[in-house]
Amino acid sequence: MSRIKSSNFFIIFFVSLARLDSGMANSFSSDDTSDEMDVAARKSKITSIIVVSLILCLVLLVILLSVFLYKRWQQKKKENHHARLMKLFGPDEELDEELSGNNIV
């Protein structure tokens, strides 16, 4: 379930980056004249696109890191729970023999 959500997030992320890229390409087409958009406005637009892209990448990195740490925490919690159970009940030799099939009557 989480892989489906993460793949949907990647698809949305890359589609939005493609739209930003196509929007930037349209703004620099030969049809635009220098009167409509001066150099400072173009630099401002490019800077804002770069900042938005970097913020999106940072958010993606934080989300992936938090998912990884959460999974790691769950694994450690499971290992600790298993260790407590083993300490509580201990290894049972009779149970091991029954499970291995050596004690067939």
Side-chain angles (χ1 to χ4, degrees):
M1 184 71 180
S2 65
R3 288 183 182 221
I4 293 171
K5 289 181 182 179
S6 63
S7 65
N8 287 341
F9 181 77
F10 284 123
I11 291 170
I12 292 170
F13 178 72
F14 288 119
V15 167
S16 64
L17 282 180
R19 285 185 178 176
L20 284 175
D21 186 40
S22 66
M24 192 168 76
N26 289 338
S27 68
F28 293 119
S29 65
S30 62
D31 295 335
D32 291 336
T33 61
S34 61
D35 294 340
E36 293 177 20
M37 186 180 286
D38 60 343
V39 177
R42 288 182 185 178
K43 287 182 181 180
S44 166
K45 188 172 183 179
I46 291 173
T47 304
S48 66
I49 290 172
I50 291 172
V51 168
V52 168
S53 299
L54 289 175
I55 289 173
L56 286 175
C57 290
L58 183 64
V59 167
L60 177 65
L61 182 67
V62 168
I63 289 172
L64 291 176
L65 183 64
S66 63
V67 167
F68 172 75
L69 291 175
Y70 178 72
K71 294 288 185 180
R72 184 82 171 148
W73 173 74
Q74 280 183 332
Q75 182 183 10
K76 290 287 185 179
K77 186 178 171 183
K78 184 178 178 181
E79 289 173 359
N80 288 339
H81 183 67
H82 182 71
R84 276 187 280 154
L85 285 175
M86 291 304 291
K87 183 179 178 183
L88 180 63
F89 295 110
D92 191 5
E93 293 177 12
E94 292 177 7
L95 182 61
D96 289 338
E97 288 176 7
E98 288 178 16
L99 292 176
S100 66
N102 294 336
N103 194 8
I104 300 176
V105 178

